[in-house]
């Protein structure tokens, strides 16, 4: 028998599936050199999602290169790639970042027990799972469904509505499709709100009318984009002047908000670089008042008290008076409706305040945080809002 017959075949890497995204530069045995393609018609690139086959019992060495020119180079130091063999449980693989190697290289090492291993920037939330989530919620008692509009790829912008109260609450997620933790959060929130035995959900349904958009950007989600829709538009920079040709998603959602009004809004996201959960508010809007600002600060204080997964020390810089970017949804809704609006950010990395060596920040923690955010909303309402 020749030595070549003793050599295991090279691994196979593919990404032609829902939210898949990787470029294979070379493969040598169980080692591969990879790159992340740009979002279509955009300079953003950071999201990866691919499958490795022929891997059982072999140490995979996967090198993703040229990351110093990715969208958020600060997202790679301290980051560990997500990995799954059953696409149900997502753990973390040993990962190391070298900014000086090959334009910035993330080296992922993992030895799978089975023949297939899946790797992603964060645990993916597929469009098929999205449809399951929407259908299950829509079948729950007291929930109505409506299509707000259609995307450029012809997908539907799904909205779920429930509750008998007079407070108009909008929850919306995945304006940036690669921030898949946002829809895991939505799954936890919807489980709370649609469970007839859940006391938090029951009380909130009595007080509020909920309008929930679990995925604002289905085109980008399916295409495997980090931050943009089918034509390279960053939806969270379109809220001042959305258009049917560039941002029909925002146009449809904002029109629906105009019809209902907005009292409270949460825009759910993920942050590449900051290893913490935090909120961003609307400081700097032209119509800022201390009374409106206090509503936001009180909600933030309640959430910090309710869960150790949330903190207020780390986050974004606060805008100076009159300098808020009104093309971002949180600022636009506060200015447009006088709403207590906010952006929730979760980490792609771990939560350094409460680290988990096996999973880092995980889908399970996103779901729990969704419930904690709703419990905080109920307490906030009980304080007289």
């Amino acid at each position: 028998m020749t030595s070549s017959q003793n050599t295991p075949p090279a691994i196979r890497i593919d990404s032609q599936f829902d939210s898949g995204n990787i470029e294979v530069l070379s493969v040598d045995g169980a080692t591969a050199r990879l790159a992340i393609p740009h979002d279509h018609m955009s300079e953003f690139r950071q999201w990866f999602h691919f499958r490795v086959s022929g891997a059982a019992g072999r140490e995979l060495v996967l090198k993703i290169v040229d990351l110093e020119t990715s969208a958020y180079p600060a997202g790679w130091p301290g980051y560990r790639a997500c990995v799954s063999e059953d696409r149900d449980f997502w753990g973390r693989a040993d990962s190391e970042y070298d900014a000086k190697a090959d334009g910035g290289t993330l080296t992922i090492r993992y030895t799978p027990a089975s023949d297939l291993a899946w790797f992603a920037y964060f645990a993916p939330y597929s469009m098929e799972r999205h449809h399951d989530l929407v259908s299950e919620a829509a079948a729950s008692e007291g929930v109505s469904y409506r299509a707000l509009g259609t995307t450029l790829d012809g997908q539907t912008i799904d909205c779920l509505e429930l509750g008998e109260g007079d407070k108009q609450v909008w929850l919306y997620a995945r304006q940036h499709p690669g921030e898949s933790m946002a829809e895991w959060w939505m799954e936890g929130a919807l489980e709370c709100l649609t469970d007839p035995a859940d006391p938090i959900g029951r009380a909130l349904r009595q007080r509020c009318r909920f309008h929930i958009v679990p995925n604002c950007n289905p085109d980008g989600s399916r295409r495997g984009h980090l931050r943009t829709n089918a034509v390279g538009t960053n939806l969270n920079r379109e809220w001042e002047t959305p258009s049917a040709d560039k941002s029909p998603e925002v146009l449809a959602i904002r029109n629906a908000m105009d019809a209902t009004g907005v009292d409270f809004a949460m825009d759910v996201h993920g942050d590449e670089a900051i290893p913490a959960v935090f909120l961003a508010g609307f400081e700097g809007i032209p119509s800022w008042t201390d009374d409106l600002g206090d509503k936001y600060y009180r909600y933030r204080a309640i959430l910090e008290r309710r869960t150790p997964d949330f903190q207020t020390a780390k986050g974004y810089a606060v805008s100076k008076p009159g300098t808020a970017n009104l093309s971002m949804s949180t600022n636009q809704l506060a200015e447009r409706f006088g709403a207590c609006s906010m952006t929730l950010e979760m980490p792609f990395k771990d939560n350094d305040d409460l680290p988990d060596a096996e999973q880092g920040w995980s889908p399970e923690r996103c779901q729990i945080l969704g419930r904690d955010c709703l419990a905080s909303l109920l307490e906030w309402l009980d304080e007289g809002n």
Side-chain angles (χ1 to χ4, degrees), residues 345-378:
E345 297 281 357
M346 293 173 280
F348 280 88
K349 300 178 182 179
D350 201 349
N351 181 350
D352 280 0
D353 294 322
L354 196 63
D356 179 342
E358 187 173 14
Q359 286 190 278
W361 188 253
S362 65
E364 293 82 359
R365 291 171 81 178
C366 298
Q367 292 169 324
I368 293 168
L369 182 63
R371 291 175 173 271
D372 284 329
C373 287
L374 290 176
S376 299
L377 174 59
L378 180 61

Side-chain angles (χ1 to χ4, degrees), residues 3 11 18 21 117 122 208 216 246 267 308 321 325 342 359:
S3 60
I11 57 174
D18 185 347
N21 193 47
F122 193 79
C208 304
C216 296
K246 284 184 57 184
D267 179 17
N325 183 350
M342 62 200 71
Q359 286 190 278

